């Protein structure tokens, strides 16, 4: 996984910060499956994910609307994965739903002096 | 770094996703210094950060208002660190400013069946 696309705001971000337990059983397969499933959801715009060696990870998924997020929350396999997550894979998590108001990016290959400007 | 506090929404999130170059020189010291500096800024609410072995990282910082974010952006040492970051430490980044509308958390030690409810 790498950078998500950069659609024109407004759109929504779901910020999921989690601490993993030491239990790996089935975790990788579930995580991959959730990416595949999310990509098939209406209103899915992309996601970015990172986890450090200490087991703390952040996944941010991007969505067109709150309705799209609510539908993803109701998705049956996703709900089952959340239950499994609480039973096995995570010791703690925080979830935040946020409306993206401004976004910009920068790439070394297209560098220009000074800070990039929001669009 | 671990989980940020969970103030009552609304508040703001700055989602900074970055790809590191192989250059480490000064990076760790800068990153620590930026955390210390940010903590001294008015309106700073906390931050969460993770970076994987592939060098892709996500830092989400939380702020009381857009004004607090703008002031942090103007902070002199922070601006200099951004210049250094573009010159040395990052090959690509994406930055998104988002308004947190809902937030909730879950902890294994206080588990209750079913999904936690937003507040």
């Amino acid at each position: 996984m790498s950078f998500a696309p950069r659609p024109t705001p407004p759109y929504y971000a779901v910020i999921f910060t989690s601490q993993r337990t030491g239990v790996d059983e089935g975790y990788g397969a579930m995580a991959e499956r959730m990416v595949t499933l999310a990509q098939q959801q209406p209103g899915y715009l992309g996601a970015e994910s990172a986890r450090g060696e200490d087991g703390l990870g952040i996944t941010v998924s991007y969505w067109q609307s709150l309705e799209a997020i609510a539908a993803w929350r109701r998705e049956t396999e996703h709900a089952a994965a959340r239950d499994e997550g609480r039973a096995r894979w995570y010791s703690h998590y925080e979830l935040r739903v946020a409306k993206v108001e401004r976004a910009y990016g920068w790439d070394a290959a297209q560098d220009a002096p000074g800070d990039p400007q929001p669009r």
Side-chain angles (χ1 to χ4, degrees), chain A:
Chain A
M1 200 180 276
S2 181
F3 293 97
R6 201 190 309 147
T8 305
Y11 54 96
Y12 286 86
V14 177
I15 306 165
F16 178 71
T17 306
S18 63
Q19 179 66 50
R20 291 271 283 106
T21 60
V23 181
D24 269 337
E25 254 182 343
Y27 176 76
M30 176 282 290
E32 274 183 42
R33 175 66 182 151
M34 287 307 114
V35 171
T36 305
L37 257 187
Q39 286 169 347
Q40 295 167 4
Q41 287 284 308
Y44 175 81
L45 299 175
E48 292 163 348
S49 200
R51 188 172 304 278
E53 282 174 12
D54 58 357
L56 188 82
I58 301 176
T59 296
V60 189
S61 58
Y62 298 100
W63 302 86
Q64 216 143 51
S65 66
L66 290 174
E67 292 68 32
I69 294 170
W72 171 233
R73 192 178 153 91
R74 285 190 305 266
E75 206 284 330
T76 315
E77 264 190 76
H78 180 212
R82 290 200 300 277
D83 288 343
E84 276 296 292
R86 284 188 295 269
R88 297 211 270 180
W89 299 309
Y90 301 120
S91 59
H92 186 102
Y93 63 73
E94 297 287 327
L95 194 143
R96 293 171 171 97
V97 177
K99 184 182 194 173
V100 177
E101 300 184 347
R102 281 186 296 147
Y104 56 93
W106 173 86
D107 195 277
Q110 296 145 11
D111 188 29
D115 275 340
Q117 290 308 307
R119 55 144 140 177

